Amino acid sequence: MRQYKFNIDVGPDRLSLQSMEKKNKESIREYARRWSEVAAQVNPPMLEKEMISLFSNTFKAPYFEYLVRSFAQHFTNLVVIAERIEQAIGLGKIANPIEKNGFTRKGKDTEGGC
């Protein structure tokens, strides 16, 4: 038992939070809830500002671009902004990068340019 006790004692850290990703069918709110539950286990506890930064960094374009520009002071405000971005993408008001002409799903230029 002592041999495996280390695995139990090691909780999530900031690096594990940075590597979390939103699942395909998961809403922003569901992802934020899952992410914040893990964040609550990080020791030492994070400040709100650090949570906002780490959560924003888990997103890819176009979410990341808009979240980084936001001036959200609270984690809950950032979640609302991310939900609005998700809604705008769904309505076609913000282009989803994987749908842009000349790009594949991996984001590489298929026309041979830069």
Side-chain angles (χ1 to χ4, degrees):
M1 282 273 281
R2 278 187 273 151
Q3 176 182 350
Y4 298 104
K5 187 176 183 328
F6 175 77
N7 292 335
I8 294 170
D9 291 341
V10 176
D13 60 5
R14 285 155 175 81
L15 186 59
S16 62
L17 282 174
Q18 287 178 325
S19 64
M20 283 182 74
E21 292 184 5
K22 182 181 166 299
K23 297 174 184 174
N24 284 341
K25 303 240 178 192
E26 187 175 39
S27 73
I28 294 292
R29 191 168 296 259
E30 291 167 336
Y31 173 57
R33 184 176 301 120
R34 183 170 58 89
W35 191 91
S36 63
E37 286 172 358
V38 175
Q41 298 173 33
V42 170
N43 205 3
M46 292 185 293
L47 299 173
E48 188 91 7
K49 188 174 182 179
E50 186 178 14
M51 284 180 64
I52 289 168
S53 177
L54 286 176
F55 185 68
S56 297
N57 286 332
T58 66
F59 286 92
K60 295 180 172 103
Y63 290 90
F64 176 76
E65 297 165 16
Y66 288 97
L67 291 174
V68 128
R69 290 183 208 158
S70 76
F71 291 99
Q73 298 293 315
H74 301 284
F75 182 76
T76 54
N77 294 348
L78 191 70
V79 173
V80 170
I81 293 167
E83 287 178 321
R84 292 181 68 197
I85 296 166
E86 181 177 54
Q87 184 179 33
I89 291 170
L91 294 172
K93 294 183 177 190
I94 296 176
N96 195 340
I98 60 172
E99 296 171 357
K100 288 183 180 177
N101 291 335
F103 288 89
T104 64
R105 288 191 144 278
K106 292 184 181 178
K108 294 183 180 177
D109 192 353
T110 59
E111 297 176 12
C114 293

